[in-house]
Amino acid sequence: MQKQLLLGAEAVAQGAIDAGMSGVYAYPGTPSTEITEYVQNSEFASDRKIRSQWSVNEKTAMEAALGMSYAGKRAMVCMKHVGLNVAADAFINSAITGVNGGLVVAVADDPSMHSSQNEQDSRFFGKFAMIPILEPSNQQEAYDMAYVGFDLSEKFKIPVMLRFTTRLSHSRAGVQTKEIKEQNPLTYPEDPIQFVLLPSNARKRYKGLLAVQESIEVDSEKSKYNIYYKASSQAELDSASMDEIPKQSASGGRNDNDKVSKNSLGIIACGIAYNYLMENYPERNCPYPILKLGQYPLPYSNVRRLLNACEKILVLEDGYPFVEEQLKDYLDKSGKIKGRLDGTIPRDGELNPDIVGKALGKQLKSGRSIPQIVVNRPPELCSGCSHRDVYLALNETIKEFGKQKVFSDIGCYTLGALPPWNSINSCVDMGASITMAKGAADAGVRPSVAVIGDSTFTHSGMTALLDCVYENTSVTVIISDNATTAMTGGQESHATGRLEEICIGLGVKPEHVRILTPLPKYHDEMVKVLREELTYDGVSVIIPRRECIQTVTRSKKEQKVKEVSN
Ligand SMILES: Cc1ncc(C[n+]2csc(CCOP(=O)(O)OP(=O)(O)O)c2C)c(N)n1
Ligand code: SF4
């Protein structure tokens, strides 16, 4: 088998392709986007006819993946952590329906919020759904876990979550690939009502999910991703291939140290935290016993073993104190468990080797200071961006009506919250601009304006617009249409070429669907139209339409390359 240099996200994609996946469903979101892009760009995936188009949002992606699993095929659904909130209804219920073909839910979390609204930890969702969770510590494990995740899902007949974080997703390492599997044949579920969650059936299915919990715990106990390292033994075990580690020596072998005298400290290192820990021990000779965790539910017997063998336990995890909370009774004042809850590790933000080193009482080596020439550059709209012209016109118009009446959403246009624009007053979650504008209008705000991008509109603005139409609420919705999903790198937008029809189809009066061209030469016309619609007592939609200049430039370049190569 060959070795490839892959990003963590790409390793997940390659693992799924090699495992015989028939389709990936996703909505873009950093740091998960590269998984689907990798499948889209893979010739091998295309030869195998692996389905990989973007979905309109994470919920539709989750449901479509469940449909593919219903048909007996292996499917993966990918999203960023906040996307799982959107998919939650389908996600939680998919644990009750169970699966037919293997179903892997790949979720990329973003601690420290590099490009997100929060740093929620998806492992809580996995536990809530009562399904196995896999958490890789490096790119090789990202590949391996995607590969075996489908087997695990088919073994227990439930979805499996594959959870990882930004640094793993966006850094590269060599990955050894495995044997390529054939795709599953189309087969229907043995039980024709397996997927029918009528209460009588759902109750039965839920009992089934409860019944399988013991087996998934036993599987976790035996998992090769959950390894108990005796003090200073990582070098020996890490040098063996994971597949070769004899269970006894990896997790069951007794260390006299463990038996006779207690270790002052034991460490639980989850996912990438194990990598950070080993960066502090380049010789792989950590003097404390370590429980490396990569599969949940928690392997309780090994956890107990570590707890018994050590005076104190340091829990290292990237994200929320998920494991720590499970170990630490809130009423326990013994101080034995150290981690994010007692301040040994900062309560928020992503983990890194320095934070781990500090928690271990190591002297930190300071790196070079940042040269003066490197200055912090706040993000801003590209020069020539169409959103700029929209905000120029909106700012001029809105000042006639007073401040704080503009609700916005998530996309490049959110930068309109920053100077010099200061144009928008909210950004909460995808689709919230229109619904918040509706609530504010219901409360008496006039005019009440929503600014949303074309991709965000089809993601979750359409139902919000229908709410407005249903009650004929006085809102003006500006759909700033740049014909792409610019913020995440320019994926295609489901709205392109059909926005007016969608709005009219949802019930907006055709004369109040206004198309504009956001260019400086049309500024006065834009102000005029905005003024007309802002004073209209009902639902109006304004669509300023001009393609994102980044995608225009990119397609011009691609065209040139084509011409040269022809
Ligand atoms: C639930 C959820 N899914 C995905 C994302 C990542 N994301 C942020 S904005 C955005 C789409 C932006 O596209 P569009 O609305 O067309 O605006 P543009 O960036 O093109 O201006 C995406 C996918 C997110 N923040 N939340
Ligand atoms: S990428 Fe496109 S939409 Fe985003 S700021 Fe630049 S020009 Fe505007």
Side-chain angles (χ1 to χ4, degrees):
M1 297 297 122
Q2 21 156 220
K3 207 160 189 181
Q4 296 183 33
L5 186 64
L6 296 175
L7 291 177
E10 295 173 343
V12 169
Q14 188 64 54
I17 293 171
D18 293 348
M21 170 180 78
S22 297
V24 60
Y25 293 86
Y27 182 73
T30 312
S32 69
T33 313
E34 291 84 355
I35 306 173
T36 307
E37 286 182 339
Y38 184 86
V39 183
Q40 289 172 342
N41 295 330
S42 157
E43 272 182 35
F44 180 66
S46 133
D47 290 347
R48 296 191 112 201
K49 302 206 172 2
I50 297 176
R51 185 268 168 214
S52 64
Q53 290 290 305
W54 292 108
S55 301
V56 75
N57 66 31
E58 293 84 354
K59 179 173 182 282
T60 63
M62 180 73 223
E63 290 156 351
L66 190 62
M68 183 170 267
S69 156
Y70 173 95
K73 306 238 174 192
R74 292 184 158 190
M76 183 157 73
V77 53
C78 313
M79 61 197 77
K80 66 184 289 167
H81 58 334
V82 285
L84 190 53
N85 300 337
V86 176
D89 199 4
F91 170 68
I92 301 288
N93 291 334
S94 70
I96 314 278
T97 61
V99 306
N100 187 18
L103 175 56
V104 172
V105 183
V107 191
D109 290 355
D110 188 21
S112 275
M113 302 177 232
H114 296 287
S115 40
S116 308
Q117 312 97 288
N118 72 36
E119 58 174 38
Q120 69 188 58
D121 188 324
S122 299
R123 292 176 299 171
F124 282 93
F125 256 127
K127 186 169 188 299
F128 188 34
M130 295 188 241
I131 60 172
I133 307 165
L134 298 171
E135 188 184 12
S137 68
N138 57 31
Q139 286 71 8
Q140 182 65 57
E141 280 189 2
Y143 172 90
D144 295 344
M145 287 179 175
Y147 189 86
V148 300
F150 293 99
D151 297 334
L152 199 59
S153 170
E154 286 170 6
K155 178 171 166 191
F156 294 111
K157 291 269 167 208
I158 48 178
V160 166
M161 175 184 278
L162 176 55
R163 182 258 183 186
F164 49 97
T165 54
T166 311
R167 298 284 159 190
L168 183 80
S169 186
H170 286 173
S171 54
R172 275 178 208 282
V175 170
Q176 188 78 49
T177 58
K178 293 179 185 289
E179 176 203 345
I180 296 162
K181 293 189 182 172
E182 285 305 317
Q183 292 180 29
N184 286 353
L186 197 158
T187 47
Y188 292 97
E190 272 172 29
D191 174 3
I193 60 161
Q194 177 188 335
F195 286 78
V196 184
L197 293 189
L198 276 168
S200 57
N201 197 37
R203 277 183 221 116
K204 266 191 236 146
R205 301 260 356 138
Y206 181 49
K207 280 192 196 306
L209 179 62
L210 293 175
V212 87
Q213 294 304 302
E214 200 180 320
S215 314
I216 65 173
E217 275 175 34
V218 170
D219 200 82
S220 234
E221 295 281 2
K222 292 194 209 139
S223 170
K224 64 182 178 188
Y225 301 118
N226 292 336
I227 306 175
Y228 189 103
Y229 291 103
K230 293 167 283 187
S232 308
S233 73
Q234 307 87 43
E236 180 195 323
L237 291 176
D238 283 357
S239 62
S241 133
M242 288 285 285
D243 293 331
E244 291 161 13
I245 296 174
K247 215 67 255 161
Q248 198 53 26
S249 86
S251 63
R254 280 266 162 221
N255 179 345
D256 286 343
N257 240 357
D258 293 350
K259 240 189 199 168
V260 180
S261 63
K262 280 208 167 185
N263 296 278
S264 59
L265 187 72
I267 301 171
I268 295 183
C270 312
I272 198 169
Y274 178 72
N275 229 344
Y276 296 155
L277 176 62
M278 285 302 108
E279 282 199 35
N280 278 279
Y281 297 100
E283 308 297 326
R284 303 189 103 58
N285 59 348
C286 175
Y288 312 112
I290 302 168
L291 177 57
K292 172 184 180 295
L293 284 188
Q295 182 172 338
Y296 309 85
L298 280 182
Y300 288 103
S301 62
N302 268 325
V303 170
R304 215 170 294 120
R305 177 178 167 196
L306 191 76
L307 282 166
N308 290 339
C310 307
E311 280 163 19
K312 293 210 189 302
I313 303 291
L314 175 65
V315 186
L316 301 173
E317 43 196 334
D318 203 11
Y320 286 6
F322 172 74
V323 170
E324 191 182 343
E325 267 188 20
Q326 291 180 66
L327 300 189
K328 192 170 182 164
D329 179 349
Y330 275 113
L331 301 175
D332 172 40
K333 298 274 183 290
S334 71
K336 177 164 182 164
I337 312 292
K338 303 276 167 202
R340 290 193 188 264
L341 291 175
D342 75 336
T344 306
I345 308 278
R347 178 63 182 81
D348 61 342
E350 74 182 327
L351 206 59
N352 63 38
D354 286 353
I355 292 175
V356 172
K358 202 168 156 213
L360 290 162
K362 292 196 139 213
Q363 197 74 30
L364 294 189
K365 288 180 223 129
S366 53
R368 289 210 193 134
S369 55
I370 300 167
Q372 295 259 305
I373 196 167
V374 181
V375 281
N376 228 349
R377 197 164 56 92
E380 60 174 344
L381 293 168
C382 305
S383 61
C385 171
S386 59
H387 298 320
R388 285 176 172 254
D389 296 293
V390 173
Y391 285 134
L392 276 175
L394 180 61
N395 280 359
E396 183 171 332
T397 318
I398 204 85
K399 66 181 178 211
E400 300 165 19
F401 299 92
K403 290 181 172 171
Q404 292 183 251
K405 296 169 189 291
V406 183
F407 302 88
S408 190
D409 231 293
I410 307 179
C412 283
Y413 51 91
T414 315
L415 295 171
L418 304 177
W421 315 105
N422 305 314
S423 306
I424 60 170
N425 309 108
S426 76
C427 159
V428 179
D429 60 67
M430 290 190 78
S433 58
I434 303 179
T435 19
M436 283 185 71
K438 182 187 189 306
D442 291 343
V445 172
R446 293 286 183 284
S448 191
V449 183
V451 178
I452 187 167
D454 48 312
S455 179
T456 306
F457 178 70
T458 49
H459 177 283
S460 42
M462 286 164 47
T463 43
L465 184 61
L466 188 57
D467 264 351
C468 298
V469 167
Y470 187 65
E471 289 187 62
N472 195 29
T473 313
S474 282
V475 291
T476 303
V477 177
I478 300 172
I479 308 177
S480 196
D481 180 9
N482 57 6
T484 189
T485 316
M487 194 179 200
T488 45
Q491 296 78 16
E492 69 261 32
S493 159
H494 288 59
T496 304
R498 52 177 74 92
L499 263 183
E500 298 87 305
E501 283 106 309
I502 292 174
C503 296
I504 293 167
L506 287 172
V508 183
K509 295 193 175 103
E511 63 275 25
H512 288 288
V513 177
R514 314 283 298 265
I515 314 296
L516 300 174
T517 306
L519 277 171
K521 62 180 172 182
Y522 299 120
H523 175 80
D524 291 346
E525 191 190 325
M526 288 174 72
V527 172
K528 180 175 164 286
V529 170
L530 276 165
R531 192 176 293 126
E532 282 168 17
E533 297 305 335
L534 259 56
T535 48
Y536 169 61
D537 191 14
V539 184
S540 57
V541 173
I542 298 173
I543 307 176
R545 174 170 292 144
R546 178 158 67 81
E547 191 179 341
C548 159
I549 55 160
Q550 295 296 343
T551 55
V552 171
T553 316
R554 206 175 308 144
S555 23
K556 275 188 186 155
K557 270 190 197 152
E558 283 165 10
Q559 186 59 31
K560 253 193 190 155
V561 172
K562 259 191 204 156
E563 282 167 13
V564 172
S565 54
N566 283 340

